[in-house]
Amino acid sequence: MLELSPDQLPSLTSWFPENTPGPTTLAEHVLAAGVGRWWADRAIQPRVFGASCAGQAVLRGSPDALVPEALAHLAGNRIDAPKHFLPKLGAAFDRLTPWERMRWTRQAVPQPATVPFGVALRRLEPADANALQALGPDAAWISASWGGPLALASSGHAWAAVSRRGRVLAVACAYFRGSRHDDVAVFTVQDHRRHRLALACVNALCEDIVAQNRTPSWNCSVLNRAGRLLAWYAGFRLVDEYVHYAVGSPASPVRLSAQRSRDEDDSARSAPVLPVPEAAKEPRTARRPRTPSL
């Protein structure tokens, strides 16, 4: 697949439905924030189109326009793609793991949450970049969609519970920011969980999003009970469920070669057998009459 620059992009509405949370928000965030990449099988009138950011990717279009090797750059991602992409994804990677997910939007009044004495609830500023960095590798994902701690702290789209010493105890941000929806993500340090700090941060962030005439959205695994409860307390309600796929390393050349051979065999077997035109048939040799035996 070819990497596209923003000026080469086709209209997003022809590939992703308007006014919907989820894949559309990721695609729009790549364009607005300048973090991530756009891909297509060709620059003009693409048949397959996708975007990737922060270890997540979306694919849309016709997988028939792809060979498995073209998907190698998406190794290690979690890919949102229609079911008809599964044969190509299965051939392209050594592992393909389905992951059931839930999409929510904020539709109800949230439960109130206050931070304890000595903790400030505020919007992050560029000076907080080092405090975000100090959260360590376990929290690196929270700023990945913005390009790192400094970019997230400078974005204006993150709220945190901060101690008197400037330690970030919990942070909520617009992880993927689309034209209509902001997909919310949150992280709380291990020793301050269950203190409702995450809820306080999410509530503050969502009020900020709503004030801009946008809709907060939420995305989590069906197995993430803590994430589901937090979403419910923050006023989110379920919109739909879907499956995306965690992929491993690119398939080995031997496996790809074997897959190509199977595809060619399948193509040959499925090819229609056309009748041979009469004019192309070899003329029959006239038979000499047999002399009867006496």
Side-chain angles (χ1 to χ4, degrees):
M1 294 180 75
L2 301 175
E3 184 171 354
L4 302 180
S5 60
D7 62 320
Q8 294 176 300
L9 297 181
S11 171
L12 295 186
T13 57
S14 62
W15 296 91
F16 302 100
E18 291 186 278
N19 305 330
T20 58
T24 304
T25 306
L26 184 155
E28 292 173 334
H29 179 83
V30 175
L31 181 60
V35 181
R37 296 178 177 181
W38 288 100
W39 307 93
D41 64 313
R42 58 192 184 191
I44 300 175
Q45 294 184 340
R47 296 163 295 176
V48 180
F49 188 60
S52 60
C53 180
Q56 299 186 44
V58 292
L59 285 174
R60 294 295 185 270
S62 172
D64 294 338
L66 292 174
V67 293
E69 293 93 330
L71 296 170
H73 64 278
L74 295 178
N77 276 259
R78 289 162 290 166
I79 301 176
D80 183 311
K83 289 183 179 180
H84 56 266
F85 274 89
L86 291 184
K88 285 291 170 67
L89 292 174
F93 303 102
D94 63 358
R95 175 175 54 83
L96 182 65
T97 306
W99 195 357
E100 296 180 359
R101 309 281 294 175
M102 308 174 80
R103 268 191 288 261
W104 313 57
T105 57
R106 194 170 187 252
Q107 305 173 33
V109 177
Q111 290 190 9
T114 56
V115 297
F117 180 75
V119 176
L121 180 65
R122 60 175 176 81
R123 192 194 312 271
L124 286 182
E125 301 173 350
D128 296 308
N130 289 337
L132 280 178
Q133 185 72 45
L135 292 175
D138 288 346
W141 66 270
I142 194 69
S143 62
S145 65
W146 287 92
L150 178 58
L152 176 59
S154 305
S155 70
H157 303 299
W159 282 74
V162 185
S163 72
R164 286 179 174 176
R165 296 184 177 181
R167 182 190 181 198
V168 171
L169 307 178
V171 57
C173 69
Y175 198 68
F176 293 131
R177 195 163 192 264
S179 59
R180 298 294 181 89
H181 293 84
D182 283 16
D183 205 45
V184 174
V186 63
F187 176 84
T188 308
V189 298
Q190 184 70 40
D191 56 343
H192 281 76
R193 292 176 181 173
R194 299 186 179 181
H195 294 168
R196 298 176 74 85
L197 295 180
L199 179 58
C201 291
V202 170
N203 284 350
L205 174 65
C206 287
E207 291 303 318
D208 219 14
I209 295 170
V210 171
Q212 301 171 47
N213 294 319
R214 303 159 73 85
T215 302
S217 60
W218 188 273
N219 191 308
C220 69
S221 166
V222 297
L223 302 178
N224 185 355
R225 184 173 183 273
R228 286 164 28 218
L229 286 175
L230 176 55
W232 184 268
Y233 293 151
F236 290 86
R237 298 296 181 264
L238 184 64
V239 174
D240 64 6
E241 297 184 19
Y242 71 105
V243 177
H244 71 192
Y245 301 89
V247 301
S249 301
S252 67
V254 173
R255 178 177 170 183
L256 289 173
S257 178
Q259 181 64 41
R260 277 194 298 270
S261 297
R262 287 194 294 269
D263 290 344
E264 290 171 0
D265 290 344
D266 291 342
S267 178
R269 282 195 293 268
S270 61
V273 178
L274 300 177
V276 180
E278 289 292 333
K281 295 180 180 179
E282 294 184 2
R284 293 184 180 181
T285 304
R287 292 185 179 181
R288 180 178 302 173
R290 296 178 61 188
T291 303
S293 299
L294 299 177

